[in-house]
Amino acid sequence: MDKEQVFQTDKEYYMPVFARYPLILDRGEGPYVFDTDGKKYIDFLAGIAVNVLGHAHPKLVAAIAEQAGKIIHCSNLYYTEPQAALAKTLAKQSGLDKVFLGNSGAEANEGAIKLARKYGKTISSDKVEIITATDGFHGRTLLTLTATAQPKYQKGYEPLPGGFHYVPYNDLAALTALVSEKTCAVMLEPIQGEGGINTPDADYLAKVRQLCDQYGALLIFDEIQTGIGRTGKMFAYQHTDIKPDIVTLAKGLGGGVPIGAFIASNKVAAAFGPGDHGSTFGGNPLACAAANTVLGVIAEENLLANATAVGAYLKSELKKLQQKYPQLIVTVRGQGLMLGAKLTKPGRDIVNQCMEQGAIINCTAGDVLRFVPPLNITKAHVDEVIAVLDKVLALA
Ligand SMILES: *Cc1c(COP(=O)(O)O)cnc(C)c1O
């Protein structure tokens, strides 16, 4: 197929739900991707915080090939070693106890909410309410788009599942007013990703933890975007001294192979028994082998330290651009390699122009440029993207 044929075929045969860029990606190498014309781009979106090792990392490629040659899938009616090993690593690294593996972020959150409901009912039959934050994002299934307190994702899908309540993010007074003995869980992102890289006040998450404890409500952290080293710690809550009762993961976990997880304390996980939840594909040996390799490489190649150091550098370079273009950039925010630059206007044109100049970033919440590159980038890669952005902003 030539380019026009790909565009045309997609238009004719794919559901029209994506506003795609006119770019056909063919392959990748480290932090770079190449289109079908062979044009090279530096990729600071990384499949939206997914390709944490960059593209075609030799160890990940080898692990997937090796596992594919052994066994790709078997039912969860049987044990596999990659799944047992991954569950142990995730439990140890999170400081929690029991893991369930699925295939996506929405599925991880769906499972976490199901578990929270089951657990709430062990305390009281009306302890079923879930509180989430406006501008959050938790997925696209009917339950998780209900947890996603943004009308644009919910419109047209009513009736929505019941029992959900919303508070503004980072607003402790609003949460204090809403939380009650009927609350079974409060679910939040430690930094809101899709909502615009919104970082809460330093003590917000700890205060939410206190409130949850006071009412016997579970605290669920959706770390689907912030997890797997993105903010410089394996889990973003590890920047604080609290931990959640349940944490959810997906995006970076498989380095690009679809996998999601939720991890809970023993106390909470005990609400599940045989038959209460399940998945055909979830935790299959191929996805687990990929995730085991991602976690291994993050440790071996010191990628948490790298995300911290290179993230701080990217942030300072973005702040320099903010000083140079104060009429365009309002704030630079985020942590580690999860950064946003809020603009004074919609960002789509800037994203398009960066793409033409060979740099892939994206824009979320309409006017926030988002940077979620691979965790193994260097300062030289940052310089490449900043040079492109400088050129584009000069003309914006
Ligand atoms: C991407 C994302 C999801 C949804 O993940 P999918 O794999 O697309 O279902 C949920 N929560 C957060 C915070 C995300 O960033």
Side-chain angles (χ1 to χ4, degrees):
M1 280 194 250
D2 68 22
K3 268 167 94 166
E4 276 315 313
Q5 284 170 323
V6 173
F7 297 146
Q8 197 50 43
T9 306
D10 176 87
K11 193 175 163 160
E12 210 169 321
Y13 295 105
Y14 206 89
M15 296 270 181
V17 295
F18 296 112
R20 299 191 207 264
Y21 295 98
L23 178 59
I24 308 173
L25 291 176
D26 184 45
R27 65 188 183 89
E29 198 182 314
Y32 298 101
V33 286
F34 298 83
D35 70 13
T36 44
D37 295 330
K39 184 176 167 186
K40 183 180 180 182
Y41 304 81
I42 184 151
D43 182 9
F44 267 39
L45 183 60
I48 314 187
V50 167
N51 303 99
V52 287
L53 305 185
H55 300 276
H57 189 290
K59 286 187 181 159
L60 184 56
V61 172
I64 293 169
E66 192 192 332
Q67 187 60 50
K70 286 170 78 181
I71 187 166
I72 292 175
H73 174 84
C74 64
S75 166
N76 276 307
L77 294 174
Y78 310 100
Y79 299 91
T80 70
E81 194 180 316
Q83 188 185 91
L86 179 59
K88 180 177 178 183
T89 307
L90 289 176
K92 295 283 178 216
Q93 297 205 357
S94 64
L96 295 167
D97 303 309
K98 293 277 195 295
V99 176
F100 182 88
L101 297 167
N103 309 286
S104 69
E107 242 187 279
N109 285 336
E110 182 100 11
I113 294 166
K114 284 176 69 180
L115 176 59
R117 281 263 169 89
K118 271 254 168 192
Y119 175 80
K121 286 183 182 178
T122 65
I123 298 169
S124 165
S125 62
D126 64 353
K127 197 169 181 64
V128 297
E129 293 182 356
I130 314 281
I131 300 176
T132 64
T134 50
D135 296 330
F137 183 81
H138 300 295
R140 302 281 199 157
T141 64
L142 206 48
L143 194 63
T144 57
L145 72 82
T146 305
T148 297
Q150 298 193 53
K152 69 175 175 185
Y153 294 108
Q154 300 178 342
K155 212 170 146 263
Y157 299 115
E158 303 85 356
L160 302 179
F164 285 81
H165 299 281
Y166 311 129
V167 288
Y169 190 62
N170 197 32
D171 183 339
L172 209 62
L175 184 62
T176 308
L178 195 59
V179 71
S180 76
E181 297 293 340
K182 288 185 183 169
T183 307
C184 84
V186 175
M187 180 156 99
L188 297 171
E189 295 157 86
I191 296 175
Q192 289 186 327
E194 296 304 303
I197 315 293
N198 304 319
T199 50
D201 295 340
D203 62 347
Y204 175 66
L205 299 175
K207 292 265 172 60
V208 172
R209 175 75 271 180
Q210 272 175 14
L211 269 179
C212 286
D213 290 344
Q214 197 179 327
Y215 288 92
L218 300 180
L219 178 57
I220 304 174
F221 281 153
D222 176 344
E223 292 238 24
I224 288 163
Q225 196 160 151
T226 53
I228 314 299
R230 177 63 42 203
T231 68
K233 300 272 190 190
M234 185 55 73
F235 296 85
Y237 62 79
Q238 291 169 338
H239 293 285
T240 72
D241 51 17
I242 59 140
K243 62 183 183 185
D245 301 286
I246 308 176
V247 63
T248 61
L249 291 172
K251 292 202 162 81
L253 179 56
V257 176
I259 183 168
F262 61 96
I263 316 169
S265 65
N266 273 330
K267 179 185 82 171
V268 175
F272 267 173
D276 284 344
H277 194 55
S279 170
T280 296
F281 291 124
N284 77 51
L286 185 77
C288 291
N292 284 325
T293 304
V294 166
L295 298 175
V297 171
I298 286 174
E300 287 157 26
E301 299 184 4
N302 285 317
L303 296 186
L304 300 182
N306 194 65
T308 304
V310 181
Y313 179 67
L314 174 56
K315 195 172 191 180
S316 73
E317 291 300 297
L318 288 170
K319 284 192 167 162
K320 283 186 202 161
L321 287 181
Q322 182 193 353
Q323 277 169 359
K324 191 166 172 187
Y325 305 103
Q327 78 284 10
L328 288 172
I329 301 180
V330 188
T331 39
V332 173
R333 59 201 185 201
Q335 194 164 17
L337 284 172
M338 180 174 179
L339 298 173
K342 187 170 168 65
L343 303 172
T344 52
K345 59 178 195 177
R348 194 164 170 100
D349 285 349
I350 290 173
V351 168
N352 274 318
Q353 281 151 20
C354 285
M355 194 175 82
E356 267 166 38
Q357 303 282 332
I360 293 182
I361 57 172
N362 97 324
C363 174
T364 190
D367 59 2
V368 180
L369 299 181
R370 174 167 48 177
F371 304 85
V372 283
L375 303 182
N376 54 4
I377 57 162
T378 63
K379 289 184 180 177
H381 297 130
V382 169
D383 292 339
E384 278 182 54
V385 168
I386 292 291
V388 168
L389 202 53
D390 192 358
K391 218 159 60 174
V392 168
L393 292 173
L395 300 170

